[in-house]
């Protein structure tokens, strides 16, 4: 009867619309003023639109006829009411208001009391995923937003349960897994309007990980959408699980007999495992060992959130918070290779090579084909002058992922260091073919052209990288070098002064970031060589001493030794290098430092 009732109401609206058209046609034949007729016609159509909107509002929101929403409520071959799709945006806004009531909503007593780690239960069945994710969000949001999000999820749970009951009543039997997923997808993506966040800055936006913001905005990236899907499924006791991939996350229905993947970024499409293996270039070994494409426990879903938030914190310059999240992620899951790789990456970019290597080794023990760990470890070997080991690791990445941009780009730099220009250019071409806008690939190609003496092409590469991302500092540094080598001294000096100003501003905002002290000291040293001003060298010396007080890294001590030599303090420079060679705590290119020491002694 429900399907017939909807058909009947649908016909009433169609008849009303037809009568309206007949009245307008009759008025057209009468001798009324055409302006009056136009106004009258607009009023009729406007009244029809308002009636139509309210009709569907009471159907969906007030649930007077919930059953027609289900995908099985329509007669065979019938299409959903076409005008319904037109006003979907309006209904989504109404739904958003309904799901976030203005009054105070009480959470269960002590719901947010435990810490994030305490909210995790070793028994997966007893763990409340919603509670853990709201405790996670509480670290960034006020409790009022958490209350509203809890109420919204409760309301959505009731709505979805009602829809499933209505469909069961219509069919007169229990639903098949396909039917359950179909109803779930229709409610989640079409009624509630959840969709993929396609903004350029989505990977730097914490709102994509915080449940209250996801519910308000109705969009997120793969992890946020999938987690909300899992929370609703958990509360309805449906056998759904999260599935993790490198840089991706989706949902799987698995009741022991029926297995169906649900791609939450594409309206719940049922892509097979083969699609994900090809798309994300997974190694056979990592799939067989259950590192990827395995059903995750709820605890591991929370680990994914911690790892993602840590990466966002790092990109926003909040290194301490990033490390804290990575530590919690690796403490909750000892088999989470991405957490160790992320932690190693932070230490690597911070210049702490020894610590970075330790975490990359842990990541590779879990997943021997972890691409982040392999590429970064290869970069470390390049810094240490171990080019053969670097090439071996990069080729291991390319054996699994032939289109890996960073692997091709770094392999090109290995060839550049060896003087194999043709091979280097071919590798750069492969990198840029995979991703023509990759900042690191463009910058590395410019470095190779510079070393080949092809300065115009190098400058073009650096300029293109800066058009893609104006604040990309490696290209800003290297374009100074290329311009100076090309004889464009006035342009190089202008660029260099702009960089000096940039780093001075950074130091005002971030006085504890040792890398900024080092980069500014390097710039002032180069500027002193060009302008012959001793004051630049003296300022650079003070800056690098500040950097060493924050982090006594080998490359900082090398620069301090070089500055002392330029300030005509040869003995002090030699002493610094001898002390550095005696250091067994840090990894660095000892051969390069030794050769530099011999030059200083001979000078």
């Amino acid at each position: 009867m429900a399907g017939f009732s909807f058909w009947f109401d649908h016909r009433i609206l169609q008849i009303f619309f037809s009568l309206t058209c007949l009245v307008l046609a009759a008025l057209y034949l009468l001798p009324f003023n055409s302006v009056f007729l136009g106004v009258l016609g607009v009023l009729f159509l406007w009244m029809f639109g308002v009636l139509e909107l309210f009709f569907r509002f009471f159907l969906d929101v007030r649930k007077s006829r919930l059953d027609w929403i289900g995908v099985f409520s329509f007669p065979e071959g019938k299409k959903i009411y076409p005008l319904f799709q037109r006003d979907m945006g309006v209904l989504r806004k109404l739904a958003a208001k309904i799901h976030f009531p203005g009054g105070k909503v009480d959470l269960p007593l002590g719901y947010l009391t435990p810490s994030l780690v305490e909210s995790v239960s070793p028994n997966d069945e007893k763990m409340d995923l919603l509670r853990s994710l709201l405790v996670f969000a509480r670290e960034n949001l006020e409790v009022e937003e958490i209350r509203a999000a809890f109420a919204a999820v409760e309301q959505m749970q009731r709505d979805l349960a009602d829809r499933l009951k209505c469909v069961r009543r219509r069919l007169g039997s229990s639903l098949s897994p396909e039917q359950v997923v179909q109803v779930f997808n229709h409610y989640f993506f079409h009624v509630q309007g959840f969709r993929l966040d396609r903004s350029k800055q989505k990977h730097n936006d914490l709102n994509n990980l915080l449940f209250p913001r996801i519910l308000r905005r109705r969009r997120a990236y793969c992890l946020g959408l999938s987690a909300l899907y899992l929370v609703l499924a958990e509360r309805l006791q449906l056998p759904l699980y999260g599935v993790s991939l490198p840089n991706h996350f989706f949902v799987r229905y698995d009741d022991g007999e029926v297995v169906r993947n649900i791609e939450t970024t594409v309206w719940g499409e049922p892509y097979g495992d083969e699609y994900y293996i090809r798309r994300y270039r997974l190694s056979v070994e990592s799939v067989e060992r259950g590192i990827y494409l395995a059903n995750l426990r709820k605890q591991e879903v929370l680990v994914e959130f911690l790892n993602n938030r840590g990466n966002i914190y790092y990109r926003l310059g909040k290194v301490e918070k990033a490390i804290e999240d990575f530590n919690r992620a690796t403490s909750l899951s000892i088999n989470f290779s991405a957490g160790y790789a992320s932690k190693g990456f932070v230490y690597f970019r911070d210049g702490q090579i020894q610590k970075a290597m330790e975490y990359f080794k842990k990541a590779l023990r879990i997943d021997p084909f972890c691409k982040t760990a392999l590429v970064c470890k290869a970069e470390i070997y390049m810094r240490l002058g171990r080019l053969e080991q670097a090439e071996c690791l990069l080729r291991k990445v390319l054996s699994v992922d032939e289109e890996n941009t960073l692997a091709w780009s770094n392999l090109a730099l290995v060839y550049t260091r060896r003087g194999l220009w043709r091979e280097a250019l071919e590798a750069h071409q492969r990198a840029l073919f995979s991703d023509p806008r990759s900042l690191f690939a463009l910058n590395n190609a410019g470095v190779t052209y510079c070393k080949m003496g092809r300065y115009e092409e190098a400058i073009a590469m650096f300029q293109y990288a800066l058009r893609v991302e104006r604040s990309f500092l490696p290209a800003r540094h290297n374009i100074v070098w290329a311009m100076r080598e090309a004889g464009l001294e006035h342009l190089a000096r202008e660029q260099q002064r702009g960089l000096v100003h940039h780093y001075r501003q950074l130091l005002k905002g971030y006085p504890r970031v040792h890398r900024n002290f080092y980069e500014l000291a390097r710039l002032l040293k180069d500027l002193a060589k060009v302008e012959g001003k001793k004051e630049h060298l003296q300022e650079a010396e003070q800056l690098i001493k500040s950097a060493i007080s924050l982090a006594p890294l080998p490359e900082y001590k090398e620069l301090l030794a070089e500055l002392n030599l330029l300030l005509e303090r040869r003995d002090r420079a030699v002493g610094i290098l001898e002390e550095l060679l005696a250091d067994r705590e840090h990894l660095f290119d000892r051969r390069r430092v030794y050769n530099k020491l011999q030059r200083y002694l001979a000078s």
Side-chain angles (χ1 to χ4, degrees):
M1 284 299 296
F4 174 77
S5 298
F6 170 69
W7 178 89
F8 181 72
D9 291 331
H10 179 190
R11 286 298 175 197
I12 289 175
L13 282 178
Q14 284 189 332
I15 292 167
F16 177 77
F17 182 73
S18 301
L19 289 174
T20 303
C21 293
L22 288 173
V23 170
L24 289 173
L27 289 172
Y28 180 78
L29 298 175
L30 296 175
F32 287 115
N33 185 287
S34 59
V35 175
F36 171 77
L37 183 62
V39 172
L40 191 63
V42 169
L43 286 173
F44 265 100
L45 290 175
W46 181 82
M47 287 172 61
F48 171 74
V50 171
L51 278 171
E52 177 197 359
L53 179 60
F54 273 91
F55 172 74
R56 275 180 267 121
F57 175 82
F58 283 106
L59 267 180
D60 188 24
V61 178
R62 295 292 295 276
K63 297 188 286 295
S64 59
R65 292 195 179 94
L66 268 174
D67 51 357
W68 78 269
I69 287 291
V71 290
F72 305 102
S73 301
F74 300 99
E76 189 68 30
K78 290 285 183 183
K79 300 289 185 183
I80 293 178
Y81 184 25
L83 290 175
F84 176 75
Q85 299 297 330
R86 189 185 70 190
D87 293 318
M88 206 60 192
V90 177
L91 289 176
R92 284 172 189 156
K93 291 177 183 177
L94 288 170
K97 291 178 183 177
I98 290 164
H99 286 305
F100 280 85
K104 181 178 177 181
V105 180
D106 289 329
L107 289 166
L109 186 63
Y111 199 72
L112 299 177
T113 301
S115 68
L116 188 60
V117 175
E118 291 171 347
S119 72
V120 176
S121 170
N123 186 338
D124 198 54
E125 293 182 0
K126 292 183 179 179
M127 179 176 168
D128 184 347
L129 182 58
L130 175 62
R131 182 183 193 181
S132 294
L133 292 175
L134 289 180
V135 172
F136 172 88
R138 180 68 183 90
E139 297 179 358
N140 298 91
L141 301 176
E142 297 297 328
V143 71
E144 287 75 16
E145 288 193 72
I146 306 299
R147 288 196 185 102
F150 180 83
V153 172
E154 292 279 300
Q155 180 65 44
M156 290 169 67
Q157 174 194 344
R158 289 192 291 270
D159 288 350
L160 189 51
D162 287 344
R163 291 165 192 273
L164 289 168
K165 286 178 185 176
C166 286
V167 177
R168 287 193 193 100
R169 281 203 305 269
R170 272 195 52 76
L171 294 178
S173 62
S174 61
L175 301 181
S176 69
E178 284 293 331
Q179 292 169 333
V180 169
V181 172
Q182 201 171 356
V183 173
F184 205 121
N185 284 343
H186 179 79
Y187 176 75
F188 191 83
F189 297 109
H190 300 290
V191 176
Q192 290 297 329
F194 288 102
R195 64 192 187 280
L196 178 66
D197 183 0
R198 299 184 182 278
S199 63
K200 291 183 179 179
Q201 295 299 318
K202 64 181 179 181
H203 294 298
N204 295 331
D205 189 353
L206 275 175
N207 290 324
N208 284 318
L209 293 174
L210 306 177
F211 256 39
R213 299 291 170 83
I214 294 171
L215 288 163
R216 278 194 181 280
R217 298 159 74 232
R218 289 297 193 269
R219 67 178 186 273
Y221 56 53
C222 55
L223 180 58
L225 291 175
S226 298
L228 180 55
Y229 202 104
L230 288 171
V231 163
L232 290 173
E234 175 194 46
R235 299 177 85 77
L236 294 171
Q237 298 182 342
L238 297 176
L240 271 76
Y241 303 89
V243 182
S244 176
L245 297 171
N247 302 316
H248 191 57
F249 196 95
F250 66 93
V251 176
R252 176 181 290 149
Y253 182 100
D254 187 352
D255 62 3
E257 296 180 0
V258 176
V259 178
R260 183 190 190 275
N261 293 334
I262 302 167
E263 181 49 64
T264 53
T265 63
V266 194
W267 316 105
E269 282 295 311
Y271 295 149
D273 287 354
E274 298 76 15
Y275 164 81
Y276 292 107
I277 292 171
R278 288 195 310 272
R279 172 70 178 79
Y280 294 94
R281 296 179 173 86
L282 305 177
S283 68
V284 176
E285 183 179 349
S286 63
V287 175
E288 289 177 348
R289 292 174 61 180
I291 298 167
Y292 301 117
L293 284 180
N295 295 345
L296 298 180
R297 294 178 296 122
K298 297 171 189 174
Q299 177 175 331
E300 293 168 320
V301 175
L302 179 60
V303 165
E304 293 281 348
F305 270 79
L306 286 166
N307 186 62
N308 274 256
R309 187 171 67 179
N311 284 317
I312 292 175
Y313 278 148
Y314 176 72
R315 287 192 288 268
L316 296 176
K318 301 176 180 179
V319 178
E320 292 180 359
K321 286 189 173 183
I323 293 293
E324 182 185 352
D325 273 353
F326 294 144
N327 284 336
R328 288 192 288 181
T330 51
S331 69
L332 289 172
S333 176
I334 59 173
N335 293 320
F336 187 56
S337 62
Y340 290 111
S342 297
K343 198 171 175 181
F345 178 81
V346 171
Y347 284 121
F348 172 53
R349 291 301 178 198
D350 198 46
Q352 301 183 54
I353 304 300
Q354 186 77 32
K355 277 189 176 181
M357 284 292 278
E358 291 174 8
Y359 289 112
F360 291 143
K361 286 176 182 176
K362 288 181 180 180
L364 291 170
R365 276 199 290 271
I366 298 168
D367 177 12
F369 290 90
C370 178
K371 296 169 193 174
T372 301
L374 287 170
V375 170
C376 290
K377 197 174 176 183
E379 284 191 43
I380 290 173
Y381 282 141
M382 288 167 64
R383 288 190 185 186
L384 300 176
R386 304 176 189 174
L387 299 182
E388 290 184 3
Q389 290 171 285
E391 182 179 357
C392 180
L393 292 176
L394 294 171
R395 291 210 173 275
K396 186 175 181 179
V397 175
L398 294 171
S399 69
V400 179
D401 183 2
E402 294 180 354
E403 303 300 321
N404 192 289
T405 303
L406 283 178
W408 278 115
S409 185
N410 285 329
L411 184 61
L413 288 184
V414 171
Y415 290 140
T416 299
R417 295 270 293 273
R418 290 175 174 169
L420 302 172
W421 308 119
R422 183 176 61 82
E423 291 84 350
L425 291 178
E426 287 177 359
H428 281 309
Q429 286 174 357
R430 290 292 300 269
L432 291 170
F433 180 78
S434 300
D435 184 0
R437 294 173 65 84
S438 168
L439 297 174
F440 289 101
L442 290 165
N443 181 69
N444 291 346
V447 169
T448 297
Y449 280 126
C450 235
K451 299 214 171 185
M452 293 174 68
R454 295 162 62 171
Y455 302 117
E456 290 184 5
E457 290 160 288
I459 291 170
M461 284 291 179
F462 297 137
Q463 285 177 334
Y464 186 70
L466 291 171
R467 277 201 297 272
V468 175
E469 179 58 66
R470 180 61 193 164
S471 60
F472 186 56
L473 290 173
R476 291 188 68 181
H477 281 279
N478 287 327
I479 201 170
V480 173
W481 167 42
M483 287 176 171
R484 186 156 286 146
E485 292 294 330
L488 304 172
E489 183 59 43
H490 63 292
L491 292 176
R493 198 174 299 183
E494 183 182 335
Q495 291 283 340
Q496 201 165 20
R497 284 173 179 155
L499 270 173
V500 168
H501 176 73
H502 176 76
Y503 278 107
R504 290 193 194 283
Q505 295 301 116
L506 281 178
L507 285 175
K508 288 179 182 178
Y510 304 97
R512 301 289 300 171
V513 180
H514 53 83
R515 196 78 192 174
N516 292 337
F517 287 98
Y518 169 73
E519 294 295 350
L520 181 54
R522 275 206 317 159
L523 285 167
L524 289 171
K525 180 204 73 172
D526 294 339
L527 205 57
K529 287 181 179 179
V530 175
E531 298 180 353
K533 292 183 178 179
K534 194 174 181 180
E535 305 83 57
H536 289 329
L537 292 175
Q538 291 170 341
E539 185 184 356
E541 183 185 20
Q542 294 305 314
L543 287 166
I544 200 62
K545 284 180 178 178
S546 299
I548 291 171
S549 68
L550 293 169
L553 301 180
E555 56 189 319
Y556 296 178
K557 294 180 180 179
E558 274 192 72
L559 181 56
L560 180 60
E562 190 174 346
L563 288 168
N564 274 280
L565 188 70
L566 291 171
L567 289 166
E568 300 176 354
R569 304 172 192 156
R570 188 182 71 90
D571 292 342
R572 192 177 297 179
V574 168
I576 292 170
L577 291 183
E578 287 176 340
E579 181 185 342
L580 181 56
L581 286 171
D583 181 3
R584 299 298 173 187
E585 183 181 348
H586 296 94
L587 281 175
F588 57 95
D589 190 344
R590 294 182 178 275
R591 183 182 300 174
R592 185 188 68 241
V593 175
Y594 178 79
N595 292 337
K596 188 178 286 189
L597 175 61
Q598 296 306 310
R599 288 199 305 272
Y600 286 7
L601 289 170
S603 63

